[in-house]
Amino acid sequence: MSNAFRLKSGTALVLALGLGFGAFTPMITAAPVVAQTQTQTQFTDVSSGYWARQFITSLAERNIIAGFPDGTFRPDEPVTRAQFAAMVRQAFNQSAVRGATSFVDVPANYWAAAAISEANMMGFLSGYPGNVFRPNENIPRAQVLVSLSNGLNYTASNQNSVQVYRDAAQIPQYAVASLAAATERRMVVNYPDVQALRPNQTATRADVAAFIYQALASQNQVATVNSPYIVGQQQAATQSTVPAGTVITTNYEQSDKVVVLPDETAALTLNVTQAVTDSTGRVLIPVGSQVVGELRPSANGSQFVAQELVLPGGQRMAINATSQTVTTRETIRQGGTFGETLAGAVLGSGAAAAIARTTGDQRADALEVLAGTATGATLGRIFGRNQVDVIAINPARDLSLTVNAPLMLSGR
């Protein structure tokens, strides 16, 4: 794509970024173009402390984006697919990866026809079934990031990289791999909450400026910007620390109920269900990690004591973390049956033996039993009684873990 050809796109870009949003008529008039011929890099509505100021002004200096004739940038206004195509065309000079597509809703005299065609050929944007492009449709944040990731041919080393976002479940399935790649390349900028991706929210002009800038930075085309809203931005370091007091959210995949005797110790492995991140949004403990430990007697209940953290890649490290002490008790009586109380529960070996002996219901043998021990004295007392008290644990509710001592992690 020649520079001469790029210069011809100026009119389209000016109209895309300087005339507002919504439908555009194919006719191009000279006056708005003249109003934007001088590069404007400072905007009355982008203050020195505005979160996206560095992204916006840097791209404006490079004539990738432009403001409006009244001196504003209107950073919070939405971006359409056609407008985004114009920005992409101005920002990147990738080789074509496919031939031109004739979109039925993009006539030859449409203001952004050339930009749409180039963005499509470079692999940044595709249409919908039936060769439809929907140029005036607002573009969601996820679609912008997928476009940039695909156009730059980025792939993710681990699709779980998206689990850094609290709203990762809202990511459309088609976008997961590309968003993981964008995350790993530090192309994602989330304001005001670095852990909230908001993938289906319409992208604003400020959002798109930040995403495009970070995409250029990933190719070393622009200087690195320091911002607390860039996901994964970090100082060069070989180790990271999970500080004491950090809460690790876990569950137990095998069951939503674990039953043990008050004096019983039982081995248990929990799964991390929410990524632990640092202040910049970098993932320290990803979703899918495991915490190996055991349930131990504590005061009048049972407490999970973590012993080892296992990351998805297999890396293991000692961890000092504990749950609250769970004191919820249930009484199993002689002659009773499992019924609703224990259906689907996982039992400690001592609890299984005691319940079967007390109730005479041998279905305990059919339930999953955790490896562990109960004291002989405890079992002796239980076997002579007509009821048994057990500790009933709901792992998702009761077994969130608090880190008790700083956990050192290798840089990831």
Side-chain angles (χ1 to χ4, degrees):
M1 198 179 307
S2 69
N3 288 334
F5 188 73
R6 281 199 174 281
L7 291 174
K8 295 178 183 178
S9 68
T11 297
L13 183 67
V14 167
L15 288 173
L17 303 180
L19 295 182
F21 299 89
F24 289 84
T25 61
M27 183 174 294
I28 298 175
T29 59
V33 179
V34 173
Q36 293 293 317
T37 53
Q38 293 185 344
T39 300
Q40 179 184 358
T41 61
Q42 303 299 320
F43 306 100
T44 58
D45 55 352
V46 179
S47 66
S48 59
Y50 186 68
W51 71 269
R53 181 178 182 276
Q54 286 180 281
F55 307 116
I56 293 168
T57 57
S58 295
L59 293 187
E61 289 172 358
R62 291 166 174 79
N63 293 312
I64 293 172
I65 59 175
F68 293 82
D70 63 358
T72 63
F73 183 77
R74 305 178 194 175
D76 295 326
E77 290 196 356
V79 176
T80 67
R81 284 168 52 82
Q83 291 160 355
F84 177 64
M87 299 183 203
V88 164
R89 183 198 197 194
Q90 200 74 1
F92 301 100
N93 192 19
Q94 305 294 103
S95 299
V97 297
R98 58 188 172 217
T101 301
S102 296
F103 295 110
V104 297
D105 54 348
V106 182
N109 61 350
Y110 183 71
W111 71 268
I116 291 169
S117 179
E118 285 193 51
N120 173 250
M121 289 190 291
M122 287 190 291
F124 285 97
L125 285 167
S126 298
Y128 296 90
N131 284 346
V132 173
F133 187 78
R134 303 178 190 171
N136 297 321
E137 184 175 86
N138 289 340
I139 190 166
R141 285 166 52 87
Q143 197 176 114
V144 172
L145 290 164
V146 168
S147 167
L148 295 172
S149 183
N150 290 349
L152 298 176
N153 199 31
Y154 288 156
T155 57
S157 63
N158 186 344
Q159 292 194 17
N160 278 336
S161 296
V162 298
Q163 296 302 328
V164 65
Y165 309 114
R166 283 198 303 271
D167 51 358
Q170 297 176 21
I171 298 174
Q173 189 58 41
Y174 81 87
V176 171
S178 297
L179 282 173
T183 300
E184 292 176 4
R185 297 280 182 159
R186 301 180 194 171
M187 290 161 54
V188 184
V189 185
N190 293 332
Y191 174 86
D193 183 351
V194 73
Q195 294 182 43
L197 178 62
R198 295 166 287 127
N200 302 308
Q201 182 174 308
T202 296
T204 65
R205 285 164 55 81
D207 288 334
V208 173
F211 295 157
I212 289 178
Y213 188 94
Q214 286 302 107
L216 290 169
S218 74
Q219 295 198 312
N220 298 316
Q221 298 298 309
V222 293
T224 301
V225 167
N226 291 319
S227 167
Y229 306 113
I230 298 173
V231 177
Q233 187 176 76
Q234 64 191 75
Q235 297 179 346
T238 57
Q239 285 192 324
S240 300
T241 302
V242 178
T246 299
V247 175
I248 304 175
T249 303
T250 67
N251 71 2
Y252 180 59
E253 288 188 348
Q254 280 65 40
S255 178
D256 57 7
K257 189 171 189 177
V258 177
V259 176
V260 293
L261 295 177
D263 292 341
E264 183 171 9
T265 298
L268 198 67
T269 297
L270 303 176
N271 295 282
V272 176
T273 58
Q274 183 173 318
V276 175
T277 63
D278 64 13
S279 60
T280 70
R282 182 166 58 105
V283 175
L284 303 178
I285 302 177
V287 170
S289 300
Q290 293 184 321
V291 183
V292 180
E294 57 187 18
L295 292 167
R296 296 178 183 174
S298 173
N300 294 317
S302 183
Q303 181 183 47
F304 181 85
V305 178
Q307 299 169 322
E308 188 176 45
L309 174 66
V310 184
L311 299 178
Q315 183 181 3
R316 293 174 175 266
M317 61 201 72
I319 180 174
N320 180 348
T322 52
S323 73
Q324 64 177 320
T325 296
V326 184
T327 58
T328 303
R329 294 198 175 212
E330 294 182 3
T331 300
I332 310 299
R333 304 183 186 282
Q334 186 176 25
T337 60
F338 283 83
E340 299 269 338
T341 303
L342 297 177
V346 172
L347 309 182
S349 58
I355 292 169
R357 180 69 175 266
T358 301
T359 65
D361 190 336
Q362 299 305 313
R363 281 182 291 172
D365 295 337
L367 297 178
E368 182 173 348
V369 177
L370 300 171
T373 59
T375 65
T378 297
L379 292 176
R381 290 196 304 270
I382 289 172
F383 288 161
R385 300 177 60 184
N386 61 5
Q387 67 180 44
V388 57
D389 288 336
V390 295
I391 303 297
I393 301 167
N394 179 326
R397 180 191 65 205
D398 300 331
L399 298 186
S400 289
L401 308 179
T402 300
V403 177
N404 299 320
L407 173 64
M408 299 299 295
L409 299 169
S410 297
R412 304 184 66 243

